[in-house]
Amino acid sequence: MTETGKTRTRTDDVAVSERALARTGTLVLAGFALLWAVSGLHVVPAAARIPLLVAATVLTAIVLAVGLVRPRPQVTRRLAASWMRRFNRVGAVQGLLIGGVCLVAIPTGHPRLIPTLVLVVVAAHFVPLVAILRQREYVATALALALVAVASLVAYVMGMPELAAAVTSLGAAVVLWATAVVVTRRP
């Protein structure tokens, strides 16, 4: 029911704060970028890990600062009334698929392929988000993450699993940081 007492139909749209969507998107994207960057630190020399961790953390803080303090007009985006339920379903399916990747890759002797396959799942999860959030920018995010996954898979198949892990981690982090900046720039 709406505040006017009418029952909402599945085709109704709701107004969602553009400011809230942008801030949440920036926070989530920058946070996952940092996680991807940290996940790849095991492949770099030990002496470089702390400086790279600091650099990744500073970059994340800058992206967050720009995105969270940027003044925005109080405008709304029209989303389907079921947008949050659909968004949560995409997240749940993504989580199940990532779990499935681990359940298959480990017993088949390919645990080093997990980051690449997880990245494929992450790239694919952006596809329905384009329509759910009416966020066209996520098309480029999905394509860029898929390209990173392909490059990583090529390195893995060529017998360079450490390079594959580095490509996956750094590539995903860069794409997600860039997407976070794009989201912060959206009016």
Side-chain angles (χ1 to χ4, degrees):
M1 295 280 261
T2 65
E3 56 273 353
T4 61
K6 295 181 183 177
T7 303
R8 232 184 235 135
T9 66
R10 287 182 163 258
T11 58
D12 286 341
D13 282 353
V14 294
V16 180
S17 166
E18 187 73 44
R19 180 182 299 172
L21 287 172
R23 287 182 175 168
T24 301
T26 300
L27 180 64
V28 170
L29 291 162
F32 276 105
L34 180 60
L35 289 176
W36 276 105
V38 169
S39 75
L41 290 178
H42 72 281
V43 300
V44 299
R49 289 181 188 152
I50 297 298
L52 288 174
L53 176 61
V54 169
T57 303
V58 167
L59 182 56
T60 300
I62 290 168
V63 170
L64 287 172
V66 169
L68 298 179
V69 300
R70 181 175 177 254
R72 298 178 186 284
Q74 191 64 306
V75 296
T76 59
R77 186 184 312 174
R78 303 294 302 176
L79 298 178
S82 62
W83 78 273
M84 183 59 82
R85 181 174 37 83
R86 294 169 58 209
F87 178 84
N88 289 336
R89 281 185 186 164
V90 169
V93 169
Q94 177 186 17
L96 290 171
L97 289 173
I98 289 170
V101 161
C102 296
L103 287 173
V104 171
I106 293 171
T108 59
H110 298 286
R112 289 181 163 189
L113 195 53
I114 290 173
T116 302
L117 296 176
V118 166
L119 188 57
V120 170
V121 172
V122 171
H125 110 285
F126 277 97
V127 174
L129 295 184
V130 172
I132 293 168
L133 298 174
R134 296 184 181 158
Q135 187 96 21
R136 292 182 319 268
E137 298 88 347
Y138 288 163
V139 171
T141 303
L143 291 172
L145 290 173
L147 287 173
V148 170
V150 167
S152 176
L153 185 59
V154 167
Y156 183 83
V157 169
M158 294 180 67
M160 298 179 278
E162 298 298 319
L163 178 60
V167 166
T168 299
S169 300
L170 181 59
V174 168
V175 170
L176 294 176
W177 278 318
T179 303
V181 169
V182 167
V183 167
T184 67
R185 305 304 307 159
R186 186 176 174 138

